[in-house]
Amino acid sequence: MMDEVSQMGKEIRRLTLALAFIVSGLSILIFHGQFKVIGIGIIIGALTGIIGFSMITNMTRRIELYGNAKAKGSASYIQRYAIYTVVFLLAAYEGVNIIALFIGILLHKGAILIYVFLHRKED
């Protein structure tokens, strides 16, 4: 059985992928012949957001195991942004649109907001 954080992460990942595929599909209709540049960029951005989110949830589960939580949190932050940088550089090198990558990451942030909205508790 999944704990609450795992269940939340699973639902947010599903929402992110659904949004990414919907917006990628729309990009095919809007930007004919530009799927590699824009559609793939959106998907790569969303997957990068999911990777970063997974790193955050994994770090928060282990944070109390470390004597210096602040140092561990800072190191995790640097590692996460290094991964974002490498993914963005490689994608840009391959000709993927950088704005599409940012849109993909924003879709992940949108999925988190949708999750919060759907699971809000009213007083």
Side-chain angles (χ1 to χ4, degrees), residues 55-106:
M55 290 175 73
I56 291 169
T57 57
N58 288 336
M59 190 260 314
T60 58
R61 285 188 181 135
R62 299 184 318 237
I63 197 79
E64 55 197 36
L65 301 175
Y66 301 102
N68 189 350
K70 186 175 181 180
K72 183 60 182 170
S74 295
S76 177
Y77 179 83
I78 291 168
Q79 182 183 24
R80 195 169 60 254
Y81 277 88
I83 289 172
Y84 294 158
T85 302
V86 168
V87 168
F88 272 55
L89 289 174
L90 289 173
Y93 179 77
E94 289 297 320
V96 174
N97 187 303
I98 296 296
I99 294 172
L101 290 167
F102 281 119
I103 289 170
I105 286 184
L106 288 175

Side-chain angles (χ1 to χ4, degrees), residues 4-119:
E4 188 176 341
V5 174
S6 297
Q7 186 63 32
M8 174 193 68
K10 185 177 180 181
E11 190 170 340
I12 288 172
R13 286 181 197 93
R14 284 183 179 165
L15 282 168
T16 300
L17 291 174
L19 288 173
F21 286 116
I22 289 168
V23 173
S24 273
L26 290 173
S27 76
I28 292 171
L29 298 174
I30 297 169
F31 304 104
H32 301 287
Q34 298 292 316
F35 183 72
K36 180 184 178 208
V37 175
I38 296 174
I40 296 295
I42 292 168
I43 293 169
I44 291 171
L47 291 174
T48 303
I50 289 171
I51 290 168
F53 180 73
S54 296
M55 290 175 73
I56 291 169
T57 57
N58 288 336
M59 190 260 314
T60 58
R61 285 188 181 135
R62 299 184 318 237
I63 197 79
E64 55 197 36
L65 301 175
Y66 301 102
N68 189 350
K70 186 175 181 180
K72 183 60 182 170
S74 295
S76 177
Y77 179 83
I78 291 168
Q79 182 183 24
R80 195 169 60 254
Y81 277 88
I83 289 172
Y84 294 158
T85 302
V86 168
V87 168
F88 272 55
L89 289 174
L90 289 173
Y93 179 77
E94 289 297 320
V96 174
N97 187 303
I98 296 296
I99 294 172
L101 290 167
F102 281 119
I103 289 170
I105 286 184
L106 288 175
L107 289 174
H108 175 66
K109 304 302 179 195
I112 294 170
L113 291 174
I114 290 168
Y115 176 86
V116 169
F117 179 77
L118 292 174
H119 295 279

